């Protein structure tokens, strides 16, 4: 009997309890062994929940229970999530998480601690919600050199942009609607400012390169400046404006950025609408593959958390493969000014798409008096 | 040093040699161990190839060499591919393959033999070419009950249908062009008749259900009867005609079929054109996810073969998880007459889409004097 503890009983935490319970029979059949949720850590009590009796408020109850071999951290935020994760790994417990903030900030250190203690630190749910992407990149593409990643990684912003386009809404109107529907938080900065996408982007870049870049060191633009007129002008040119997390690895250097981009409608990412996510990966042997699905949501994200739990249990008798990430040095990061792509220009004199140019050249273009806005083109 | 043998040095076989050589450094770094290709089995000699010196004509040289622990079978066809695979597994060698015909026909038996001998039988490359789909379904979706699969699984037919639509070609013209470009074989029956898609469909259905259905027991329709007029009528209604491999698991019964279907343009499969493939999977917790990419081709397919080789090497010290498939009994297979979906009707009196109906009801509709054709709608 494997004992699991859940840290956090919010959206993803309660979803994880539900997936572990609803699909218990088929999962145990696949694994050939039984499991149980032994504890759920939360500040609150849940007397109405069928899992209410498992709730504890003291993390030490979990940390000190040697029966607990797998901890699923779904608290969100850096602290105490990071501290609890570190303590669990040091105590020889496997940790799986949906917490992109912790992975993006502390992935190198936590990976090392896991390796030192012979346990696993897994985070399939941290990027793309329920979409299988991290494990496929690490296993199915292990025969490849991953050269480029472009992802629609945030459902909230994709919903807003789809709603602007399809319902002719302004950014403010679309954001308000997203908030009413529960797709955007009261304070939407992490989403609309591009910071959530940035965390996911540096995680994907680290899988491709083995080097984790700090989000402080990448260019991040959100969607707050996008006007309905821009969206409509893009459509007329055959492009959809999407918030893209981009990473490329070239000559050993990483170039990562988050930016609204004009996506040609023929590109597979162009058709990914509403709260769905898609991750397009280029690799030197396979060419281009894409992973698509629900990038957020209670059960989809929990599905990925439980996939990691299943993986840990399936490999419980095997020594884990170390994550092996290192922190990117300044010399590992490419100069953003050299980012090279076509540009979509919205101007009083007419709208058009340019040849490829660098950021420096694009800035000159944007400074022209008749130019309203300039978008990077994927 | 791990010694690998390749069976077959055609398109995928030579691609596999290329991937193993081109990416040797990064793969060995990931694995922390070295490998080499020790033999390549083929009837032909390749004096011009850099791999020419590795070519042998006698399978027994490979079978009897205890150093060879991994065999990649890329011969195509049932025999001798099946016989060689069986002999290798019985000799305690791991086998990876791109051969969908062997997996679809003999997957149950070969899985059992592998389990009995403590080795792996893996076939990521057998469905979707380079697209990560089999391992993600088996691992990332291990927390789910897979309920439905719809796939564009054959690049040749998708190329033909795209070309009919975009270039207003008849089926015959589009096929001729595909043959000139090397996308279709001189004898195109396996592709255009739907048989290649059928093999891939029963493999995916087996991953979902644990039961392998014979392609003899499923409904298979190809694309040879599709007219340009049908394609154009579908477009006007907002649908794209695609060849779909469909499988669903309901109340423990499997319903699988291969058929041209009308795909709404809003469906993620609707936009998959040319030789690309896409596999849309529904599962009870994650909802809907899609895997997209190059469904065939030398290096993409080889990328998947080598991913399996990497997986075997990475787990070389661990006991393999048995495949655990059984052959589907008649009672495991749902009655095709009950297949229930909307229908697109092309008729002299006008074209329209119906409510959902069974096959029996659709047959009555098709028999009406003014009806030209009836398509299943996804």
């Amino acid at each position: 009997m494997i004992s699991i503890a859940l840290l956090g009983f919010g959206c993803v935490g309660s979803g994880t309890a539900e997936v572990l319970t609803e699909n218990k029979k088929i999962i145990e059949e696949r694994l050939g062994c039984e499991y149980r949720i032994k504890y759920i850590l939360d500040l609150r009590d849940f007397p109405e929940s069928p899992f209410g009796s498992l709730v504890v408020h003291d993390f030490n109850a979990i940390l000190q229970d040697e029966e607990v071999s797998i901890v699923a951290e779904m608290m969100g935020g850096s602290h105490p999530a990071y501290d609890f994760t570190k303590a669990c790994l040091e105590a020889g417990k496997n940790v799986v998480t949906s917490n992109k903030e912790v992975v993006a900030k502390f992935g190198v250190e936590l990976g090392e601690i896991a390796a030192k203690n012979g346990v696993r630190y897994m985070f399939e749910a941290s990027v793309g919600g329920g979409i299988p992407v991290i494990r496929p990149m690490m296993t199915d593409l292990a025969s490849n050199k991953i050269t480029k990643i472009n992802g629609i990684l945030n459902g909230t912003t994709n919903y807003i942009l789809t709603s602007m386009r399809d319902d002719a809404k302004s950014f403010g109107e679309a954001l308000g609607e997203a908030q009413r529907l529960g797709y955007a938080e009261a304070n939407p900065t992490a989403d609309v400012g591009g910071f959530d996408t940035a965390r996911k982007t540096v995680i994907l870049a680290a899988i491709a390169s083995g080097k984790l870049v700090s989000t402080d060191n990448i260019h991040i633009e959100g969607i707050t400046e996008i006007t309905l007129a821009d969206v409509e002008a893009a459509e007329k040119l055959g492009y959809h404006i999407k918030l893209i997390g981009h990473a490329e690895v070239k000559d050993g250097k990483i170039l990562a950025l988050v930016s609204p981009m004009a996506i040609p409608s023929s590109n597979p990412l162009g058709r990914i609408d509403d709260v769905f996510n898609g991750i397009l990966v280029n690799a030197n042997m396979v060419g281009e593959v894409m992973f698509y699905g629900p990038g957020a949501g209670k059960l989809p994200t929990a599905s990925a958390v439980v996939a990691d739990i299943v993986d840990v249990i399936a490999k419980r008798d095997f020594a884990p493969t170390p994550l092996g990430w290192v922190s990117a040095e300044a010399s590992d990061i490419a100069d953003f000014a050299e980012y090279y792509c076509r540009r979509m220009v919205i101007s009083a004199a007419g709208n058009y798409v340019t040849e490829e140019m660098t950021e420096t050249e694009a800035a000159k273009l944007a400074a022209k008096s008749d130019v309203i806005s300039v978008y990077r083109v994927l």
Side-chain angles (χ1 to χ4, degrees), chain A:
Chain A
M1 172 74 79
I2 311 281
S3 294
I4 301 164
L6 311 184
L7 309 187
F9 200 61
C11 174
V12 180
S14 60
T16 297
E18 196 174 327
V19 173
L20 284 169
T21 308
E22 276 290 309
N23 283 352
K24 192 175 204 306
K25 208 179 136 214
I26 53 162
I27 294 174
E28 289 187 338
E29 219 172 85
R30 278 173 194 153
L31 286 169
C33 85
E34 295 185 334
Y35 64 76
R36 63 169 168 174
I37 304 171
K38 190 165 180 186
Y39 303 102
I40 296 172
L41 181 74
D42 205 285
L43 292 172
R44 300 160 291 182
D45 277 309
F46 298 87
E48 306 296 312
S49 162
F51 303 102
S53 64
L54 305 175
V55 172
V56 295
H57 305 301
D58 178 13
F59 170 65
N60 286 308
I62 293 166
L63 186 65
Q64 285 158 15
D65 188 334
E66 289 189 2
E67 277 189 358
V68 174
S69 56
I70 305 174
V71 176
E73 185 273 300
M74 298 154 298
M75 309 175 73
S78 283
H79 300 282
Y82 156 77
D83 314 271
F84 288 179
T85 299
K86 189 172 163 179
C88 287
L89 294 172
E90 285 174 340
K93 299 182 193 302
N94 301 281
V95 176
V96 308
T97 187
S98 59
N99 191 327
K100 57 224 108 183
E101 196 172 329
V102 169
V103 181
K105 273 193 199 166
F106 305 107
V108 172
E109 181 194 354
L110 294 172
E112 279 168 7
I113 296 173
K116 202 178 295 172
N117 289 278
V119 291
R120 287 179 173 82
Y121 179 54
M122 302 181 85
F123 41 86
E124 178 64 70
S126 69
V127 180
I131 306 171
V133 58
I134 291 193
R135 200 182 339 269
M137 281 176 68
M138 287 180 165
T139 57
D140 279 87
L141 300 184
S143 52
N144 283 261
K145 201 179 288 182
I146 296 173
T147 52
K148 201 161 66 180
I149 297 154
N150 285 291
I152 295 173
L153 300 171
N154 180 275
T156 306
T157 47
N158 207 39
Y159 179 84
I160 291 171
L161 291 170
T162 306
S163 161
M164 288 173 73
R165 181 192 69 193
D166 291 351
D167 307 324
K169 287 198 163 77
S170 71
F171 169 74
E173 288 167 346
L175 170 62
E177 188 197 50
Q179 286 172 321
R180 275 193 302 281
L181 291 170
Y183 292 154
E185 293 177 48
N187 178 352
T189 312
D191 291 324
V192 300
F195 305 106
D196 175 76
T197 296
R199 289 173 190 136
K200 294 165 177 169
T201 302
V202 298
I203 294 171
L204 295 176
I207 295 171
S209 69
K211 292 170 184 166
L212 185 63
V213 179
S214 163
T215 54
D216 295 340
N217 294 330
I218 74 170
H219 177 87
I220 304 173
E221 262 174 75
I223 66 164
T224 52
E225 304 298 314
I226 301 173
T227 64
L228 177 56
D230 288 354
V231 171
E232 290 177 340
E235 293 295 317
K236 280 195 188 124
L237 290 169
Y239 292 82
H240 307 295
I241 298 179
K242 300 280 180 191
L243 184 67
I244 297 293
H246 172 91
E248 54 188 74
V249 187
K250 214 171 133 182
D251 307 327
K253 292 202 175 199
I254 301 153
L255 200 160
L257 67 145
V258 175
S259 162
M261 291 199 194
I263 318 287
S265 50
S266 59
N267 187 297
L269 289 176
R271 285 279 151 179
I272 295 177
D273 291 333
D274 298 318
V275 294
F276 285 92
N277 283 194
I279 300 101
L280 193 63
V281 179
N282 289 72
N284 72 336
M285 292 298 155
V286 76
E288 187 168 271
V289 295
M290 188 177 75
F291 306 95
Y292 163 90
K298 178 177 168 166
L299 292 178
T301 308
S303 155
V305 171
V306 178
D308 277 350
I309 293 175
V310 171
D311 204 358
V312 171
I313 299 177
K315 298 190 190 135
R316 64 195 178 282
D317 297 330
F318 314 151
T321 312
L323 185 56
W325 288 355
V326 296
S327 297
E329 308 282 330
S331 62
D332 294 323
I333 301 172
D335 182 4
F336 173 63
E338 295 302 313
Y339 182 64
Y340 196 69
C341 70
R342 293 185 301 145
R343 314 284 161 160
M344 182 179 72
V345 179
I346 315 283
S347 84
N351 310 324
Y352 59 96
V353 172
T354 70
E355 293 299 298
E356 296 190 327
M357 59 173 68
T358 62
E359 288 298 313
T360 318
E361 291 165 322
K364 279 183 207 155
L365 194 57
K368 286 191 180 170
S369 64
D370 65 329
V371 169
I372 299 162
S373 43
V374 177
Y375 285 88
R376 297 176 183 90
V377 173
L378 190 67

